Amino acid sequence: MPYCTRCDRQFQSEGALNQHIRASSFHYFCARCQRDFGSSRAKQQHIMDSPNHHVCFECVPERDFSAQGSLEKHRVDAHNLCTKCRLVFQTPGWLRQHKVLVHQVCGGCRRYFDTSEELEHHSAFSCSPSSQVSGNAMADDLGDSLSTIRRHYQQPLVTLLLDIQKTEIQHLKSTEFIRALECLYPTQNNTFMRHRINAFEERDYVAISCTWSHPLPLKQPYGKYYVQSRNRGFSQSTVRDSVFERVRKYMVHFDLRYLWIDKECVVQEDGEEKETAIQAMDLVYYRSKHPIGLLYQPILSIADLQLLAGLMTEKFVTKSGSQFKLSPGLPFESVRKILELLDAIVSDIWWTRAWTYQENYRGSTRMRLLIPHCISSKDYPNYYIKLFGDVPGEIVLNSTEFHEAATAFCLAFDPPASLRKSRQLVLERASKYTLLLEKPGVYGQDLATRSMTPLIIEDIEKRQLEVPLDRLAIIANCCQYSARLDCRELMKRGHSVSLAILALFLLNGEILYNGLDSRDRVSDGHNITHFLSTQAFNQYSPPQQARGLTYNKSCRFIDAVLKRRGIRTQGHLWKLGRRIDTSEFSNRLPYVEDDGSLTRDERRNLMLLANELGKRGFRDLRVEIIAYLERTDTSQSGNSFAKEYQKYMAKELAAAVSQCRLLRLGALWSFSDEHSPYRGIFICNQPETDDGPDYVFTASREEEEADDGGDLLNDIDRHVSLEVDCTITNGPIPNLHTRRWIHGLCFFYGCPRMDVNFPWPRAITQV
């Protein structure tokens, strides 16, 4: 009987075998050339090399033309191809703008000129102004440097940022969309019914993350499955059959009833209903207990399965302190094969899209990756079932664990030149931010001194999008930004995407380094992602008990407003005064009850501090610390953000006393410069000098969860504690310049916040 060795299946006839080869997702059959290939890469290479194929990879699904001329005309007409540099553009307007800026083409008569000077002369004296390219097209300039953007708009960057700020809107996520989430459930005869669930309460649904286009040049079939229409009829689904088949196997295995997929569960006609769904879509993956990402690049051999198992069980990597190293005796050939396997996995189309990045990020530790395999059950022992599950034909990986394993392996060795490109690709697409950003701390623990935000923006910038402006929404969803920008207004005003990202970053309270002692951290020749990775504040110091990157994510100004002079925000400004040398304290710790949210030693160290401050005449602070300790005697349940943050600072202060570190007392500053009592105790980070007073700026605010109508504000808790330089000008608002992060326990009940200004860094004002 005819036999398929790849799938380990027998068939009744050659015709049945041929039909199987043409239809199976584990075969890579070229219908035009009547050839079957062993992998998607082999088939793609065939299509690239064969004179019989002329494929448009911009089309979804891809279109294969019989002649090169037909493909060229199609790409010019349908995809706005620039025939000179071979780039495609989203709209004809952007193509015209590109030709004017790059190729010296007149937007009116479409004549090419050798130099920009000739084009300017022609535009001024020979061509009608009404025929020139409109300036309203928004420039997708993520690859351009800040100086290039400055020259293009012929205005200072600050002026452009202030104009972008005018498009700010308060973003609300519709809770009604989540409370009545439209899902599908399978019935017999390949049909799916619609059903609404409250995803705030019912989270046992599968949220599918997949690309609408198939990664292979071969079009995959659809239409086998029918979905109930919203008018209660049934229609053929345009979702690929293989997607439904794979998801149904997963649902049956885990006894799940409902699934959500954007192509069927979101109204596709443009309008308010679709826009509401798009803005709240990230919550679908965040609320689901079963978000899954469908990859298409299969595991073809038992050898690759063994390598993947070894990778996920940390067989190939050891950790010494905070450093990863390859396991002793691991041959270089094995290292190469592991990296080739990772390269193949992250080369899947799923890793290249910005929307699937958001779905993976918001799915968090619940996201599972489904990777197809064609390994027979006899070669799939229980050991692999424990690692990868036993969903038929699927390897199931926890996405977070895969990111950790892939990143640890890539950080464990310095690859030779032949492997550097693959290693870089893996780190770009499947990195674990914790492993990339955490470094050894001064007191033994690993600390993340940087925020994830610049890396998130950089990773989103590298991924593909049909609509470039969608990056703003994806960045805002991943970073939990409540302040958004009106994309329609941005388009009307013709603003830069790069500066829109920078404005979004600042309006949501993210902090730039603007220190007085700074040399220019970035060159004006770098683009926005490099600017943010270098100029964003990167000296955070998360408390030992806090989750480092989660803590850093909340280090944001409150109510940030862009002004001509800088970034205005609100908080408390402290003037540092008396130094307290804890090495002079008594060696005998006072007795305290072992109760509350602090350990007994922490409570004893804080009581020691209170007593020593009392001896030195700071009775108000002594009373505040004792009152705080009495409040912590109550139950830890239901702690607010303010109590939790104060607990972190109390633990840091107790540790500083135990380590005999130097402390500084702080009093709230005011313009009158009148003496006010000490209300704060700060832990010195650096050796102190007597060259004048120092200042600390603090601010905190609990997240605002919903508006009066119940819509979500997408906000997070915020806290700032910065040692700053303070300069006073003629105005009523002090100018502050960032120095370093500082921990401290403050008591400012009833003291109102004040306005402060953080002047623009020179990297923005001097471009």
Side-chain angles (χ1 to χ4, degrees):
M1 297 178 67
Y3 178 73
C4 176
T5 56
R6 187 176 304 166
C7 301
D8 191 21
R9 289 181 59 186
Q10 289 184 332
F11 295 87
Q12 295 294 329
S13 65
E14 287 291 340
L17 173 61
N18 291 334
Q19 184 179 6
H20 159 74
I21 292 173
R22 290 168 178 268
S24 172
S25 61
F26 298 124
H27 288 268
Y28 307 93
F29 185 76
C30 175
R32 182 171 296 174
C33 301
Q34 295 295 299
R35 291 181 59 188
D36 184 22
F37 294 88
S39 67
S40 62
R41 286 190 172 185
K43 182 179 177 182
Q44 287 174 330
Q45 190 63 46
H46 157 73
I47 290 175
M48 297 296 293
D49 296 341
S50 172
N52 298 327
H53 293 274
H54 308 278
V55 179
C56 176
F57 292 100
E58 281 89 23
C59 281
V60 180
E62 294 86 351
R63 293 181 60 185
D64 194 351
F65 292 84
S66 59
Q68 180 64 32
S70 301
L71 171 62
E72 188 78 358
K73 183 178 186 303
H74 163 78
R75 295 187 73 204
V76 170
D77 295 342
H79 301 296
N80 307 302
L81 173 71
C82 174
T83 55
K84 272 187 171 290
C85 60
R86 315 304 298 171
L87 296 175
V88 297
F89 294 84
Q90 185 69 24
T91 67
W94 290 354
L95 172 60
R96 289 196 299 272
Q97 187 181 48
H98 162 77
K99 288 182 176 180
V100 170
L101 297 176
V102 178
H103 299 306
Q104 292 84 48
V105 175
C106 174
C109 62
R110 301 189 180 183
R111 284 178 56 192
Y112 281 87
F113 292 86
D114 293 332
T115 65
S116 57
E117 290 78 9
E118 291 179 5
L119 172 61
E120 290 176 4
H121 184 273
H122 166 79
S123 300
F125 300 105
S126 303
C127 199
S128 169
S130 63
S131 64
Q132 300 303 312
V133 172
S134 169
N136 288 344
M138 190 169 184
D140 186 13
D141 50 11
L142 293 178
D144 291 345
S145 66
L146 294 180
S147 58
T148 298
I149 296 170
R150 165 73 172 84
R151 287 195 301 269
H152 172 67
Y153 288 94
Q154 297 183 349
Q155 294 186 70
L157 296 185
V158 171
T159 300
L160 296 171
L161 289 169
L162 293 179
D163 196 44
I164 290 173
Q165 181 178 228
K166 295 175 183 177
T167 71
E168 180 184 359
I169 55 177
Q170 191 71 27
H171 173 67
L172 301 176
K173 289 185 180 291
S174 172
T175 57
E176 184 59 31
F177 176 78
I178 303 298
R179 291 189 202 292
L181 185 66
E182 187 177 279
C183 293
L184 306 178
Y185 66 91
T187 62
Q188 296 180 347
N189 302 323
N190 297 331
T191 59
F192 288 88
M193 303 292 288
R194 295 185 185 274
H195 180 75
R196 292 187 182 274
I197 65 172
N198 183 350
F200 285 111
E201 298 176 358
E202 191 171 357
R203 302 179 64 184
D204 278 323
Y205 62 92
V206 176
I208 303 171
S209 172
C210 66
T211 57
W212 284 22
S213 61
H214 192 271
L216 306 177
L218 179 65
K219 179 180 178 180
Q220 274 217 331
Y222 64 87
K224 175 182 176 182
Y225 291 88
Y226 287 78
V227 174
Q228 182 184 27
S229 303
R230 292 180 177 86
N231 60 10
R232 297 304 176 184
F234 286 88
S235 59
Q236 278 186 318
S237 175
T238 58
V239 175
R240 293 186 304 278
D241 296 341
S242 63
V243 171
F244 278 140
E245 288 164 2
R246 296 175 67 187
V247 173
R248 285 189 72 170
K249 288 190 296 183
Y250 186 88
M251 294 173 69
V252 168
H253 181 78
F254 289 103
D255 193 23
L256 301 170
R257 186 176 187 190
Y258 299 115
L259 69 90
W260 186 94
I261 183 168
D262 54 359
K263 201 170 187 180
E264 287 291 352
C265 300
V266 172
V267 173
Q268 296 303 315
E269 293 77 21
D270 290 339
E272 183 178 350
E273 191 172 354
K274 180 180 179 180
E275 183 64 23
T276 298
I278 288 175
Q279 295 298 336
M281 199 180 298
D282 64 302
L283 292 180
V284 176
Y285 296 90
Y286 179 72
R287 298 301 305 172
S288 171
K289 287 185 178 180
H290 308 279
I292 61 172
L294 296 183
L295 278 63
Y296 292 94
Q297 183 69 36
I299 298 296
L300 297 173
S301 68
I302 191 68
D304 283 346
L305 192 65
Q306 291 171 343
L307 291 177
L308 185 60
L311 181 76
M312 298 303 294
T313 55
E314 303 178 355
K315 179 180 177 182
F316 305 130
V317 174
T318 61
K319 189 175 183 182
S320 176
S322 61
Q323 300 296 316
F324 293 100
K325 297 180 180 179
L326 294 177
S327 297
L330 185 66
F332 174 77
E333 183 63 19
S334 296
V335 173
R336 182 183 63 78
K337 289 180 179 179
I338 297 166
L339 197 55
E340 287 179 350
L341 174 63
L342 287 173
D343 184 298
I345 292 174
V346 302
S347 293
D348 191 285
I349 190 174
W350 188 83
W351 300 94
T352 67
R353 300 296 196 261
W355 283 113
T356 51
Y357 172 92
Q358 171 182 280
E359 291 153 10
N360 188 25
Y361 187 89
R362 294 294 278 159
S364 189
T365 56
R366 301 175 302 282
M367 175 62 79
R368 298 295 187 269
L369 306 180
L370 270 61
I371 303 176
H373 72 81
C374 52
I375 299 167
S376 65
S377 57
K378 65 181 181 181
D379 294 325
Y380 204 82
N382 289 336
Y383 172 70
Y384 294 133
I385 292 176
K386 290 179 180 179
L387 281 178
F388 306 130
D390 55 350
V391 178
E394 302 284 355
I395 293 170
V396 182
L397 293 178
N398 180 285
S399 179
T400 299
E401 293 174 0
F402 176 75
H403 280 251
E404 289 177 348
T407 304
F409 180 77
C410 289
L411 295 179
F413 69 105
D414 184 17
S418 60
L419 299 180
R420 285 175 189 163
K421 187 175 181 180
S422 293
R423 177 178 180 265
Q424 184 63 28
L425 181 68
V426 175
L427 289 177
E428 285 180 356
R429 295 185 177 177
S431 61
K432 179 65 175 173
Y433 295 143
T434 306
L435 301 185
L436 291 181
L437 296 180
E438 284 189 346
K439 306 297 179 186
V442 177
Y443 298 100
Q445 75 280 12
D446 287 351
L447 293 177
T449 62
R450 295 172 57 192
S451 166
M452 292 184 292
T453 304
L455 275 179
I456 291 173
I457 293 175
E458 183 178 358
D459 282 348
I460 293 172
E461 185 268 333
K462 292 175 181 176
R463 283 161 170 79
Q464 300 173 20
L465 272 173
E466 290 187 13
V467 182
L469 272 179
D470 284 346
R471 283 191 177 86
L472 297 179
I474 294 173
I475 290 170
N477 287 337
C478 292
C479 298
Q480 286 185 263
Y481 285 168
S482 57
R484 305 289 179 105
L485 301 176
D486 188 330
C487 291
R488 293 179 182 177
E489 281 299 311
L490 290 172
M491 285 289 292
K492 289 180 182 179
R493 296 169 182 261
H495 277 302
S496 153
V497 174
S498 294
L499 294 186
I501 290 174
L502 178 57
L504 188 71
F505 179 89
L506 297 174
L507 289 170
N508 283 280
E510 302 278 12
I511 304 172
L512 293 178
Y513 186 79
N514 72 335
L516 290 173
D517 60 341
S518 68
R519 295 171 291 179
D520 288 339
R521 290 189 158 207
V522 294
S523 164
D524 61 6
H526 289 117
N527 68 354
I528 186 62
T529 54
H530 188 276
F531 172 85
L532 292 178
S533 67
T534 309
Q535 196 70 37
F537 187 81
N538 61 0
Q539 296 187 45
Y540 297 110
S541 179
Q544 297 181 38
Q545 302 297 320
R547 295 174 58 195
L549 290 179
T550 301
Y551 174 89
N552 293 355
K553 185 177 182 178
S554 290
C555 296
R556 299 178 186 176
F557 294 139
I558 62 175
D559 299 326
V561 180
L562 309 186
K563 297 289 186 179
R564 181 71 58 182
R565 293 172 49 234
I567 302 156
R568 185 172 299 178
T569 183
Q570 291 187 327
H572 295 97
L573 183 61
W574 303 81
K575 186 174 182 179
L576 300 187
R578 180 70 176 268
R579 292 169 171 80
I580 304 296
D581 187 354
T582 61
S583 65
E584 299 174 354
F585 287 4
S586 169
N587 291 327
R588 296 185 61 184
L589 294 177
Y591 173 80
V592 295
E593 295 290 339
D594 189 7
D595 196 5
S597 59
L598 304 177
T599 67
R600 187 181 182 205
D601 282 346
E602 288 169 342
R603 294 170 58 77
R604 294 177 73 186
N605 278 300
L606 289 177
M607 184 60 76
L608 174 63
L609 173 62
N611 293 339
E612 293 289 343
L613 289 174
K615 292 177 183 178
R616 289 163 172 77
F618 306 113
R619 295 182 179 84
D620 290 344
L621 274 178
R622 178 180 183 274
V623 170
E624 291 283 10
I625 293 175
I626 293 175
Y628 170 75
L629 290 174
E630 290 174 350
R631 289 195 298 272
T632 62
D633 287 344
T634 60
S635 172
Q636 301 180 46
S637 62
N639 275 354
S640 66
F641 157 72
K643 290 181 179 178
E644 193 70 13
Y645 183 71
Q646 198 171 42
K647 182 187 76 173
Y648 283 145
M649 294 301 101
K651 286 177 172 289
E652 289 293 307
L653 190 57
V657 173
S658 175
Q659 296 159 1
C660 299
R661 297 175 65 184
L662 187 66
L663 307 177
R664 293 284 298 274
L665 305 186
L668 286 171
W669 179 90
S670 67
F671 249 98
S672 63
D673 205 25
E674 294 180 357
H675 175 73
S676 61
Y678 288 125
R679 295 173 177 265
I681 311 167
F682 296 93
I683 305 167
C684 296
N685 292 325
Q686 300 290 338
E688 291 291 305
T689 61
D690 294 319
D691 56 355
D694 295 317
Y695 297 85
V696 170
F697 174 73
T698 65
S700 62
R701 187 184 68 194
E702 192 166 8
E703 68 174 300
E704 299 176 346
E705 294 186 355
D707 71 344
D708 294 337
D711 287 335
L712 300 178
L713 293 173
N714 202 45
D715 198 15
I716 61 173
D717 299 327
R718 296 164 184 256
H719 49 76
V720 176
S721 186
L722 279 169
E723 186 177 340
V724 295
D725 292 308
C726 178
T727 57
I728 310 298
T729 58
N730 295 330
I733 300 175
N735 291 317
L736 306 183
H737 297 266
T738 56
R739 296 186 67 180
R740 60 183 72 90
W741 203 257
I742 188 170
H743 291 310
L745 187 60
C746 304
F747 307 96
F748 49 83
Y749 313 112
C751 301
R753 300 187 185 111
M754 65 178 298
D755 286 340
V756 299
N757 181 68
F758 284 81
W760 295 105
R762 292 190 303 174
I764 289 180
T765 59
Q766 296 185 5
V767 170

